[in-house]
Amino acid sequence: MTFELRKRLAEEKGFNLIPRAMAISSSSWELPLVAVCQVTSTPDKQQNFKTCAELVREAARLGACLAFLPEAFDFIARDPEETLRLSEPLSGNLLGEYTQLARECGLWLSLGGFHERGQDWKQTQKIYNCHVILNNKGSVVATYRKTHLCDVEIPGQGPMRESNSTIPGPSLESPVSTPAGKIGLAICYDMRFPELSLALVQAGAEILTYPSAFGSVTGPAHWEVLLRARAIETQCYVVAAAQCGRHHEKRASYGHSMVVDPWGTVVARCSEGPGLCLARIDLSYLRQLRQNLPVFQHRRPDLYSSLGHPLS
């Protein structure tokens, strides 16, 4: 099926496909294809699953090897109490449904931010914001628990106190090998901390993923700028699946899911509303760029190894 035909069929269903911005040969169709899903989660977990499952199945039909879902793909609650009540362990029913979905569709899934009741749930009565990677057999191959919690007050957007219900993760996760490349795991607010992305690329990451639920004020100001900056400074692909629209009377998200290549070019972008976009991952292009512009060989950790400490 030609790209033009795929594009027309996808657009008829409300999806948005954008080819790579740079010129590539006909062999590009042999490159791994990834799908980035954009949804509007609500407190209704089963309806959210139905929406995500439809997008994942569409991604599989279009030939993707890996589909990315945003932060809070499972639900977005109205308050911390509802968040805790709706949360589940990784061994719960909801993740079991996604395990079956990955197996059914035969593709990998990046589940960008699962409200996880960890092993310390009984003691803490708090959860983790957990990024889960499933392989095409439905097995959990990696988990990352969000290390930077979003406790901010943005005028016009309302206060966010993620720590009211969530515990910060204790560590980073080593990049995981997938059919699209080695993926470094992060979540939303993590993108504001370049130290994390640099640590992941130094550990071997070729793709950084930032599943998110960005707000309506910070989104237009910072979303694309931060994603492109992370791609340029790490010379990685950046994949950012996003929540969009109004979740309930208390919260809305910016959307604009996208894929950025290692040069900083946005090569795929979702339209308004729920849907998906597709991009091909060209690791030979990534390696050539790193060879032509060898910034990691030029770094001076002797001068700025203390970066990351609080301001004095």
Side-chain angles (χ1 to χ4, degrees), residues 216-231:
S216 56
V217 174
T218 54
H222 298 160
W223 171 250
E224 182 175 327
V225 175
L226 285 169
L227 294 173
R228 294 180 68 190
R230 297 295 83 83

Side-chain angles (χ1 to χ4, degrees), residues 73-234:
F73 67 94
D74 50 352
F75 64 86
I76 290 183
R78 297 176 181 85
D79 52 54
E81 292 74 26
E82 188 176 42
T83 294
L84 295 174
R85 179 172 58 80
L86 293 174
S87 64
E88 297 184 18
L90 293 180
S91 58
N93 292 334
L94 186 60
L95 201 65
E97 291 186 277
Y98 279 97
T99 293
Q100 184 176 341
L101 179 65
R103 192 182 305 123
E104 168 200 326
C105 294
L107 82 172
W108 289 56
L109 294 179
S110 162
L111 306 177
F114 178 76
H115 296 86
E116 179 206 1
R117 292 189 184 185
Q119 295 181 350
D120 54 1
W121 163 254
K122 288 185 178 180
Q123 293 76 37
T124 66
Q125 293 295 294
K126 287 190 174 185
I127 59 174
Y128 294 95
N129 189 341
C130 184
H131 189 161
V132 182
I133 300 291
L134 301 179
N135 67 15
N136 58 352
K137 305 296 183 183
S139 299
V140 175
V141 296
T143 55
Y144 161 73
R145 292 163 180 88
K146 188 177 182 182
T147 50
H148 302 96
L149 300 185
C150 189
D151 286 359
V152 300
E153 293 190 23
I154 306 296
Q157 190 170 287
M160 172 71 74
R161 288 284 180 270
E162 191 172 12
S163 63
N164 284 347
S165 61
T166 306
I167 303 169
S171 63
L172 304 184
E173 175 72 15
S174 297
V176 57
S177 295
T178 76
K182 290 185 178 180
I183 294 182
L185 305 183
I187 301 174
C188 197
Y189 190 59
D190 286 332
M191 76 176 70
R192 294 185 180 276
F193 303 90
E195 299 90 347
L196 183 151
S197 59
L198 292 171
L200 290 173
V201 70
Q202 288 173 330
E206 298 162 323
I207 303 166
L208 300 177
T209 181
Y210 294 101
S212 298
F214 246 57
S216 56
V217 174
T218 54
H222 298 160
W223 171 250
E224 182 175 327
V225 175
L226 285 169
L227 294 173
R228 294 180 68 190
R230 297 295 83 83
I232 293 167
E233 73 194 3
T234 62

